[in-house]
Amino acid sequence: MTANRDFAAQTVVVTGGESGIGKACALALGAAGADVALTYFADSVAGEDVAQTIRGAGGKALAVQADVGSETAVEALFAAAERAFGRPVTLLVNSAGLNMKNIPIADMTLDRFDTVIRADLYGPFLTCRRFVRGLGEGGRGRIVNISSIHERAPRAGGAEYDSAKGGLSQLTATLALELAPRGIAVNGVAPGMILTPMNQSALDHPDELKAKEAAIPWGRAGRADEVAGLVSYLLSPAADYITGTTVTIDGALSLTVALGA
Ligand SMILES: NC(=O)c1ccc[n+]([C@@H]2O[C@H](COP(=O)([O-])OP(=O)(O)OC[C@H]3O[C@@H](n4cnc5c(N)ncnc54)[C@H](O)[C@@H]3O)[C@@H](O)[C@H]2O)c1
């Protein structure tokens, strides 16, 4: 992609920026000139490392510890970004999230359900809300929420994750409708299998990776930088007329759902 290179004079908040897709987004946007406030959850070294890489390449970056499911933490995150870079946050990437754990609903504790909904759905609700409030009257901006192909394709044992991502899809669409008259775009990105720590088991076990990749029509899993390229495009002026939709990036994996019946 070539149209997404210039994010100068933009401040972006990237949640989950210390790892995987969020990290790739933070690095791509920082390299393209955005001032980056990225969150880390538990790994301060990883978060600071991403910020340092952006700064080392001449950019501006700040790593902030935040649990995105906490209203107070989200407020502190945006306040820190506004203070550090001297302008409202104009771009938002919600990548922080937890995966399913293969637990049937009958065995799932409320605490487990709550933990994932809080990270994967409350988190984007809180950051989107603060983003809009921070922009104020007349402020324009763009949001990308990282969802999943499982927002529509459920997996047995994934009720907490599938529910969170299904909800996120509707949050994205509803907010896009509310904000379109103000010129604020809100889109989702739904990845299939991407090789990040969320797929650590496949990364560690070549046989598992091979079996999973065999099920993907494109013949391989995706990379975080490929998702970051799509996110960068959706945040760029070239994507001006795109809002309220979720773009799938999965090597056609989600098209195979009902095959073999
Ligand atoms: N990797 C995939 O195959 C894949 C596929 C579809 C969707 N996704 C989505 O992409 C996003 C990024 O995942 P990834 O693959 O980069 O995984 P990852 O595990 O590398 O990154 C997720 C990050 O979210 C952070 N996090 C978790 N809970 C948090 C919380 N409450 N507050 C703040 N941060 C929190 C983690 O610390 C981690 O850094 C997730 O929303 C995930 O659901 C990933």
Side-chain angles (χ1 to χ4, degrees):
M1 298 200 184
T2 51
N4 58 9
R5 286 294 146 217
D6 191 3
F7 288 102
Q10 305 265 11
T11 294
V12 62
V13 163
V14 182
T15 71
E18 86 269 46
S19 178
I21 292 168
K23 175 178 174 178
C25 290
L27 292 173
L29 293 164
D35 297 345
V36 181
L38 63 103
T39 74
Y40 62 89
F41 190 42
D43 192 343
S44 62
V45 175
E48 193 45 53
D49 189 54
V50 177
Q52 191 48 48
T53 302
I54 294 169
R55 289 194 289 263
K60 290 189 197 163
L62 178 71
V64 181
Q65 197 285 328
D67 175 349
V68 295
S70 154
E71 201 168 10
T72 319
V74 167
E75 176 53 41
L77 161 68
F78 277 76
E82 289 160 352
R83 209 169 36 244
F85 304 127
R87 67 170 91 85
V89 177
T90 48
L91 304 171
L92 171 62
V93 179
N94 278 308
S95 186
L98 295 169
N99 202 359
M100 66 178 286
K101 269 196 174 166
N102 239 325
I103 307 169
I105 291 173
D107 299 330
M108 191 175 294
T109 62
L110 179 59
D111 186 52
R112 170 66 196 164
F113 193 77
D114 185 62
T115 299
V116 176
I117 297 284
R118 193 157 271 284
D120 294 18
L121 184 56
Y122 278 39
F125 163 74
L126 291 170
T127 55
C128 285
R129 191 181 66 173
R130 180 56 177 81
F131 175 87
V132 175
R133 289 176 176 173
L135 274 178
E137 285 297 310
R140 294 176 71 107
R142 302 187 68 86
I143 297 173
V144 172
N145 292 324
I146 307 295
S147 177
S148 163
I149 54 172
H150 299 295
E151 71 172 39
R152 279 190 298 161
R155 287 171 297 185
E160 77 286 55
Y161 187 80
D162 299 345
S163 302
K165 295 300 190 182
L168 181 57
S169 165
Q170 285 295 69
L171 179 73
T172 297
T174 303
L175 190 60
L177 205 52
E178 290 180 4
L179 297 180
R182 293 173 53 182
I184 300 170
V186 191
N187 289 295
V189 163
M193 182 183 186
I194 309 297
L195 293 178
T196 71
M198 198 167 271
N199 281 304
Q200 196 60 47
S201 170
L203 285 168
D204 291 342
H205 301 98
D207 287 351
E208 181 186 335
L209 178 61
K210 206 171 155 198
K212 286 188 168 164
E213 288 191 317
I216 301 170
W218 202 251
R220 65 167 176 85
R223 299 188 314 270
D225 67 286
E226 293 176 305
V227 181
L230 174 57
V231 170
S232 297
Y233 170 70
L234 290 172
L235 292 177
S236 77
D240 186 60
Y241 200 53
I242 304 176
T243 191
T245 195
T246 293
V247 182
T248 298
I249 174 165
D250 72 343
L253 176 61
S254 54
L255 299 182
T256 66
V257 166
L259 295 186

